[in-house]
Amino acid sequence: MKEEISASKRTLTDALAGAAAGMFSRTVFAPIDRVKLLIQLRGSIIPKSSSSSVSDGGQQHQQHYNKSPMQIFRGIIQKEGLLSLWRGNTPTIIIEGGATALNFVFLNWFKLASLNVLTSLEVRYPSLRQDNGGDRTRRLLQSFVSGGLAGATTISFLYPLGFMRTRLATDVGTKGERLYPAGMRDVLVLH
């Protein structure tokens, strides 16, 4: 019993440490991620500001983001300020921590749920029977199925946050020019 509690505590500690490390690394690399997103989505970013009017087709805006990554990085700092490099990082941190926690919960839940399925499959596939040496195959199949289902379920839950992250990271301009000046709240209200 004591070993079981100790193993559960160790697993929880590992999950929390992994989540914290993931959130820290995502925050450190958030500026690079924002520049990457701006480069990837530069053709679809439409600024709200009047400086890129409809009559010029957003040419000023496109010229600003059709540069090298370093030029875009410097341009963001000059035009939007240093902290704007982390725009969209809050949903990223929630995704990182949430993914770790949800994967942890769903993996265990799907492993328990898959036991009944595997037991019923033993009739059809005798190689899965434990007495037939199928214990290793059974564990491998259980881990594969449980991990895949846990990952898919987690992504389904966290997809809206990924959408929000992309919207915020590609929201360019200063406070008055941005489409989502209030951040996450504006994305939720407008979409």
Side-chain angles (χ1 to χ4, degrees), residues 13 19-20 40 42 54-55 62 66 79-80 104 119-120 129 134 156 162-163 173 179:
T13 303
Q40 288 175 334
R42 64 179 146 216
V54 177
S55 63
Q62 290 302 327
N66 280 337
K79 187 176 179 191
E80 303 172 30
F104 177 72
T119 303
S120 66
R129 289 189 191 137
S156 298
F163 175 80
L179 290 170

Side-chain angles (χ1 to χ4, degrees), residues 26 33-34 36-38 40-42 44-45 87-92 95 158-172 179-180 184 187 191:
R26 296 293 261 173
D33 197 40
R34 175 140 195 254
K36 177 199 74 160
L37 279 170
L38 289 172
Q40 288 175 334
L41 301 172
R42 64 179 146 216
S44 61
I45 299 171
R87 192 173 295 149
N89 193 48
T90 301
T92 303
I95 290 168
L158 296 176
Y159 180 80
L161 287 170
F163 175 80
M164 184 183 299
R165 173 189 156 270
T166 303
R167 288 289 184 175
L168 290 172
T170 58
D171 189 16
V172 295
L179 290 170
Y180 312 108
M184 290 171 50
V187 176
H191 291 283

Side-chain angles (χ1 to χ4, degrees), residues 57-132:
Q59 290 299 320
Q60 281 183 335
H61 170 76
Q62 290 302 327
Q63 288 172 355
H64 178 70
Y65 292 99
N66 280 337
K67 298 180 178 174
S68 75
M70 191 53 91
Q71 290 170 322
I72 292 172
F73 184 81
R74 283 191 212 116
I76 291 171
I77 294 172
Q78 289 171 351
K79 187 176 179 191
E80 303 172 30
L82 182 67
L83 290 179
S84 68
L85 290 170
W86 283 269
R87 192 173 295 149
N89 193 48
T90 301
T92 303
I93 287 175
I94 295 169
I95 290 168
E96 192 70 38
T100 302
L102 288 174
N103 274 331
F104 177 72
V105 169
F106 287 135
L107 182 66
N108 289 334
W109 189 81
F110 281 120
K111 275 190 175 182
L112 289 173
S114 66
L115 282 176
N116 293 333
V117 174
L118 288 173
T119 303
S120 66
L121 286 174
E122 284 180 356
V123 174
R124 193 173 204 174
Y125 303 101
S127 63
L128 292 176
R129 289 189 191 137
Q130 291 178 349
D131 59 348
N132 241 5

